[in-house]
Amino acid sequence: MASPSVLFVCLGNICRSPLAEAALRKAAREAGLDIETDSAGTGNWHSGEPPDSRAIATAARHGEDITGYRARQVRPADFSRFTTIIAADHQNLAHLQAMRPALATAELALVLDLVAGREGQSLTDPYFGDAAGFEETWADVHAAAMALVDQITTES
Ligand code: 4NP
């Protein structure tokens, strides 16, 4: 697989997709790969805000500083700028399919499609839960990021 550029999308862009972006940045760096990655939300309630403090703390525990990330809403140009747009859950995926421009080139997928045995599953939204939920999110997005890096290194 040629090196993809990857946009992760969740609802608010303050919990799941920033953690997915951080996990892929970390996995790519450790594998010596240059992968363009970003994240966005289907909603705009948190646009311009940093990630949720619990997401920042979780990323920091895993060695990633995401304090500089700022939430933004997904836009039509993302469908030609990125080769792959990866949704956190089925609701996000349905939103992306509905707004996908006719001439879009990006492929759409669910983040857990990358993880063997978890295909078709949604990432649990940790926003209304506790810190343990954010660790679970990290474990899931880390597994997905490692699988994506593995695919790229073995297929290129
Ligand atoms: P995220 O989590 O989609 O993983 O960033 C949420 C963030 C904010 C809200 C819901 C989920 N909210 O309702 O504001």
Side-chain angles (χ1 to χ4, degrees):
M1 189 197 286
S3 201
S5 52
V6 180
L7 179 70
F8 291 101
V9 173
C10 62
L11 182 61
N13 192 209
I14 56 169
C15 299
R16 293 166 294 174
S17 60
L19 287 176
E21 178 185 347
L24 183 57
R25 284 186 189 281
K26 177 178 171 135
R29 190 176 63 244
E30 288 173 355
L33 289 180
D34 184 20
I35 302 177
E36 189 196 351
T37 182
D38 194 7
S39 61
T42 58
N44 70 351
W45 312 281
H46 297 282
S47 285
E49 294 177 14
D52 184 284
S53 59
R54 298 164 295 174
I56 289 176
T58 302
R61 273 195 297 278
H62 295 280
E64 297 302 296
D65 178 4
I66 64 169
T67 55
Y69 289 17
R70 292 294 176 268
R72 72 168 179 89
Q73 191 170 26
V74 65
R75 43 184 176 253
D78 288 324
F79 290 81
S80 40
R81 171 162 166 226
F82 294 92
T83 59
T84 313
I85 301 182
I86 302 183
D89 64 28
H90 282 280
Q91 187 191 2
N92 308 145
L93 184 61
H95 188 116
L96 290 167
Q97 281 161 343
M99 74 175 284
R100 188 176 195 273
L103 297 176
T105 48
E107 286 180 26
L108 303 183
L110 283 169
V111 66
L112 287 176
D113 285 345
L114 290 160
V115 181
R118 305 284 303 278
E119 298 90 345
Q121 294 183 14
S122 286
L123 263 190
T124 304
D125 188 346
Y127 183 68
F128 296 105
D130 58 15
F134 281 79
E135 270 305 319
E136 195 184 312
T137 301
W138 177 269
D140 285 345
V141 298
H142 179 252
M146 296 297 281
L148 182 57
V149 162
D150 209 42
Q151 267 181 34
I152 296 163
T153 44
T154 55
E155 291 172 21
S156 61

